[in-house]
């Protein structure tokens, strides 16, 4: 009998829309990892492209859940945070990391708060600055360029040069204990890059995947979940970025052509390929 790896993911449940927990739970589980969830909020849908969604903030449930887990002696090998429901939760999450992460446990922070040059509804610079504090507890921090710019108080643009991306990843090293994975390097015409920065040797590597000309929501969550699953299976940050990038690209390919599906990507159809993908890289 082998030991299971146990991880906790803290992000919202968007009941419909293929993001956050409804993406993280199946993908990380498919990597053979026991996945516990702590919902930061419950929404009827996610907030991008939908209107009039419901939003139940679960901020005040977080300390009680932590206390119960303390009584039950429940610990995690890793904690992965995504979309957070309120600024106050960021402090509660630090307490949960302090209390429930195993001594040699790993923290993944996806500062999911913005994309395409704008905050998601309800977020602002004050939240971004506080999110920066949570990032500093991360072993792996996974911003897109918009989130990176809010963390760094920089002007966003859709087309940073390779040199600007490398510089930005290095500047972001203040917001991680070990690694930054900066997504959205667009300087090549047919390939999408990710800058993987390692604080230990102060070096960047760029990982490329084929670029697909298709705008879809939820790809950041698909990528982060596959990155977490790969890393917890022993892959290096660059290998995990490659695996997660390929997985996300394949999910987008399954979705292209379905005009009723801009709200998310059909990642479920790629789950059967995960095992081969993990072995091949
Ligand atoms: O995929 C990021 C995300 C997560 N959760 C909610 C969102 C979004 C992006 O819009 O609205 C509720």
């Amino acid at each position: 009998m082998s030991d299971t790896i146990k991880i906790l993911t803290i992000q919202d449940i968007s009941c419909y829309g293929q993001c956050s927990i409804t993406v993280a739970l199946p993908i990380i589980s498919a990597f053979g990892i026991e996945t516990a969830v702590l919902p930061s909020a419950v929404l009827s849908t996610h907030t991008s492209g939908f209107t009039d969604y419901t939003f139940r903030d679960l901020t005040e449930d977080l300390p009680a859940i932590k206390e119960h887990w303390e009584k039950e002696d429940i610990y995690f090998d890793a904690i992965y945070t995504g979309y957070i429901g309120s600024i106050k939760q960021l402090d509660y999450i630090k307490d949960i990391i302090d209390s429930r992460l195993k001594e040699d446990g790993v923290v993944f922070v996806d500062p999911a708060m913005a994309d395409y040059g704008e905050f998601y509804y309800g977020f602002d610079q004050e939240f971004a600055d506080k999110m920066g504090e949570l990032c500093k507890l991360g072993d792996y921090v996974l911003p897109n360029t918009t989130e990176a710019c809010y963390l760094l108080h920089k002007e966003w643009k859709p087309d940073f040069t390779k040199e600007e991306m490398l510089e930005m990843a290095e500047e972001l090293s203040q917001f991680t204990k070990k690694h930054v994975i900066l997504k959205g390097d667009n300087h090549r015409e047919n390939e999408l890059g990710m800058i993987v920065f390692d604080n230990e040797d102060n070096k960047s590597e760029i990982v490329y995947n084929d670029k697909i000309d298709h705008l879809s929501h939820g790809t950041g969550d698909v990528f982060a979940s596959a990155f977490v699953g790969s890393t917890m299976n022993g892959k290096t940050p660059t290998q995990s970025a490659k695996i997660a990038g390929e997985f996300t690209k394949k999910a987008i390919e399954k979705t292209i052509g379905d005009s009723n599906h801009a709200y998310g990507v059909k990642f479920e159809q790629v789950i059967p390929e995960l095992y081969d993908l993990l072995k091949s890289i």
Side-chain angles (χ1 to χ4, degrees):
M1 196 174 56
S2 63
D3 275 354
T4 43
I5 298 171
K6 211 177 278 189
I7 100 150
L8 169 66
T9 185
I10 309 175
Q11 45 188 324
D12 68 287
I13 295 179
S14 284
C15 300
Y16 183 80
Q18 285 174 311
C19 72
S20 311
I21 284 180
T22 64
V23 166
L25 186 51
I27 294 178
I28 301 171
S29 300
F31 277 94
I33 296 167
E34 181 178 339
T35 309
V37 301
L38 180 41
S40 56
V42 179
L43 294 83
S44 49
T45 66
H46 63 66
T47 65
S48 296
F50 293 102
T51 50
D52 297 333
Y53 41 82
T54 68
F55 184 101
R56 170 133 351 244
D57 176 13
L58 296 178
T59 301
E60 292 313 323
D61 289 46
L62 265 55
I65 291 171
K66 184 200 75 164
E67 279 160 31
H68 182 216
W69 286 347
E70 283 169 348
K71 279 196 195 120
E72 296 287 343
D73 218 19
I74 293 166
Y75 285 95
F76 299 99
D77 299 288
I79 295 183
Y80 153 39
T81 70
Y83 179 105
I84 302 307
S86 73
I87 200 161
K88 198 169 172 193
Q89 283 186 8
L90 293 167
D91 284 327
Y92 289 156
I93 290 170
K94 283 189 209 161
D95 293 343
I96 292 166
I97 291 172
D98 266 356
S99 159
R100 297 298 89 201
L101 186 67
K102 286 185 186 166
E103 217 166 283
D104 56 351
V106 182
V107 176
F108 299 86
V109 179
D110 179 357
M113 58 187 174
D115 211 351
Y116 304 110
E118 286 180 11
F119 279 116
Y120 298 141
Y121 180 81
F123 295 106
D124 58 15
Q125 189 61 53
E126 187 192 357
F127 184 93
D129 292 342
K130 189 98 177 153
M131 176 58 91
E133 297 303 311
L134 179 64
C135 288
K136 288 177 184 171
L137 303 181
D139 297 286
Y140 302 87
V141 176
L142 304 127
N144 58 38
T145 54
T146 306
E147 289 151 352
C149 285
Y150 283 125
L151 288 170
L152 293 167
H153 291 242
K154 262 175 130 68
E155 189 85 34
W156 181 82
K157 55 183 181 177
D159 51 357
F160 290 101
T161 63
K162 179 180 172 183
E163 288 66 36
E164 286 170 333
M165 289 296 288
L166 289 167
E167 202 177 300
M168 188 145 65
E170 190 167 350
E171 285 177 65
L172 285 165
S173 64
Q174 63 184 294
F175 291 107
T176 180
K177 286 200 323 212
K178 291 188 182 153
H179 306 279
V180 172
I181 294 83
L182 174 60
K183 301 169 288 178
D185 172 8
N186 266 318
H187 78 270
R188 286 193 179 174
E189 199 179 331
N190 298 319
E191 286 177 308
L192 188 62
M194 281 160 281
I195 320 291
V196 180
F197 188 86
D198 186 338
N199 277 6
E200 203 166 296
D201 57 11
N202 222 33
K203 273 206 187 115
S204 281
E205 265 185 80
I206 310 183
V207 174
Y208 294 101
N209 291 97
D210 293 344
K211 194 185 276 186
I212 301 173
D213 198 16
H214 178 81
L215 264 191
S216 29
H217 296 293
T219 50
D221 300 343
V222 170
F223 177 86
S225 302
F227 184 91
V228 169
S230 301
T231 305
M232 296 311 289
N233 271 280
K235 297 294 179 182
T236 65
T238 47
Q239 287 171 329
S240 293
K242 185 75 190 163
I243 291 165
E246 281 295 311
F247 183 76
T248 310
K249 185 201 81 176
K250 284 169 181 276
I252 296 170
E253 280 169 344
K254 299 277 186 198
T255 318
I256 289 176
D258 186 345
S259 56
N260 292 321
H261 212 103
Y263 57 84
V265 289
K266 301 181 181 181
F267 69 90
E268 301 87 350
Q269 295 179 23
V270 195
I271 283 182
E273 296 176 42
L274 209 45
Y275 180 74
D276 285 341
L277 199 53
L278 193 62
K279 269 203 318 195
S280 70
I281 292 171

